[in-house]
Amino acid sequence: MAGVVVKTEKVSRVFYLGKTKVQALDDINIEINEGEFLAIAGPSGSGKTTLLNLIGCIDKPSSGSIKIDGEEVSTLSSNRLADIRLAKLSFIFQTFNLIPVLSAFENVEYPLLKTVRNRGERSDRARASLESVGLEKYMHHRPDELSGGQRQRVAIARALVTEPRIILADEPTANLDQKTGEDVLNIMKRINEDSNTLFIFSTHDLKVMQMASRIIRITDGKIVEHDYFDRKDNIKKNGNCDGDYRNRVQGRRSTEE
């Protein structure tokens, strides 16, 4: 059985707008396993991006526990959180967030500058990462010389180059047309299956949800439903959000058998 990579217990996040209290997340309890292709889905303002930011160690919960590979991260210092992001996490953003004055190759190499001293190794890894997304012919192009789909593929290559445990993608297809979005998703799905890298999406894109191995649906800061897709049996199964997820899945399989 795949190990648990992310676990949250009774996580809440509160913001204040002046004197107004905004409950962005309320009592979030989830386990996310190695190798999943997981979508956190919900309408705008539902809390899905807030949850992604908490898992990504960009933000801290107001209360509750978040563990990455068994390590409690909700109480860590900013410096320690930065170390975890560098070692275990990568991000893919809706707006690509590429450095405009750098080439595709330099953008992908950039995250390695702090951790890989050997220039040849950095070059090899950046080149291999760009080749994995089909951009070997565009390595020396700057972002303004690339299409939207090509820019997002550079962003995927940049996320991959550090060999992270977790890739967090915030609405990665939102700025792409349908065909380009599907192509980008297929690349991420292939990477997920080839390397067993955990992908976690924040999305309301039906294409992402159709490809996901599991969907966690959030409304008004609360988990309202899990949808689990068993790729082996090619059957979609629905479950409520109460109790331990793995036990529910095992129980449904036992019942079906």
Side-chain angles (χ1 to χ4, degrees):
M1 179 180 293
V4 175
V5 178
V6 178
K7 183 176 182 178
T8 74
E9 294 181 289
K10 299 184 180 302
V11 165
S12 295
R13 184 67 173 100
V14 175
F15 296 97
Y16 286 90
L17 299 176
K19 295 182 179 180
T20 303
K21 177 181 177 180
V22 178
Q23 186 82 46
L25 292 173
D26 185 15
D27 195 30
I28 301 296
N29 299 281
I30 57 174
E31 289 186 1
I32 305 175
N33 295 326
E34 181 180 15
E36 286 200 69
F37 201 73
L38 174 77
I40 300 171
S44 297
S46 62
K48 60 185 185 295
T49 297
T50 300
L51 179 55
L52 201 73
N53 288 340
L54 292 177
I55 294 171
C57 299
I58 294 174
D59 192 13
K60 291 185 177 183
S62 302
S63 62
S65 167
I66 301 175
K67 292 181 180 179
I68 307 291
D69 280 333
E71 180 178 4
E72 179 63 54
V73 300
S74 60
T75 57
L76 295 180
S77 68
S78 296
N79 286 341
R80 178 59 186 142
L81 289 175
D83 289 340
I84 289 175
R85 288 195 300 270
L86 188 63
K88 297 186 177 183
L89 302 166
S90 283
F91 300 84
I92 300 171
F93 300 97
Q94 175 179 339
T95 53
F96 319 133
N97 285 15
L98 302 178
I99 300 173
V101 297
L102 299 183
S103 68
F105 178 88
E106 291 166 334
N107 267 282
V108 173
E109 183 190 34
Y110 189 80
L112 298 175
L113 294 177
K114 187 175 181 179
T115 58
V116 180
R117 293 186 177 182
N118 185 283
R119 185 175 182 179
E121 182 182 350
R122 290 200 309 267
S123 178
D124 289 345
R125 286 173 62 171
R127 188 179 303 277
S129 193
L130 282 163
E131 288 174 352
S132 74
V133 298
L135 286 181
E136 58 271 18
K137 295 180 180 179
Y138 299 89
M139 289 187 184
H140 302 296
H141 288 61
R142 290 186 177 182
D144 62 0
E145 299 172 317
L146 301 171
S147 68
Q150 288 169 334
R151 291 181 206 175
Q152 193 60 293
R153 282 192 277 167
V154 173
I156 294 169
R158 180 183 59 190
L160 286 172
V161 76
T162 58
E163 300 175 352
R165 288 275 280 159
I166 308 166
I167 293 179
L168 300 142
D170 188 12
E171 299 282 6
T173 59
N175 288 342
L176 305 176
D177 61 65
Q178 182 175 348
K179 176 62 167 62
T180 303
E182 289 175 356
D183 290 343
V184 166
L185 280 174
N186 285 329
I187 289 170
M188 289 189 278
K189 187 66 170 177
R190 172 177 54 78
I191 291 164
N192 164 254
E193 293 176 346
D194 289 348
S195 65
N196 207 36
T197 302
L198 167 59
F199 277 77
I200 305 175
F201 295 84
S202 165
T203 189
H204 58 260
D205 187 340
L206 183 60
K207 297 188 296 295
V208 177
M209 289 184 268
Q210 288 172 335
M211 200 170 287
S213 57
R214 177 160 57 121
I215 304 170
I216 296 175
R217 299 182 187 274
I218 295 183
T219 300
D220 296 331
K222 292 180 176 287
I223 296 177
V224 295
E225 188 178 31
H226 280 125
D227 291 340
Y228 176 78
F229 188 77
D230 190 327
R231 284 176 287 178
K232 180 179 179 182
D233 298 329
N234 211 32
I235 297 172
K236 184 177 179 182
K237 305 163 185 176
N238 297 318
N240 62 35
C241 59
D242 299 322
D244 179 79
Y245 168 70
R246 290 181 298 166
N247 290 338
R248 293 201 311 275
V249 172
Q250 290 170 353
R252 286 198 297 275
R253 283 178 173 165
S254 298
T255 301
E256 289 164 0
E257 290 171 358

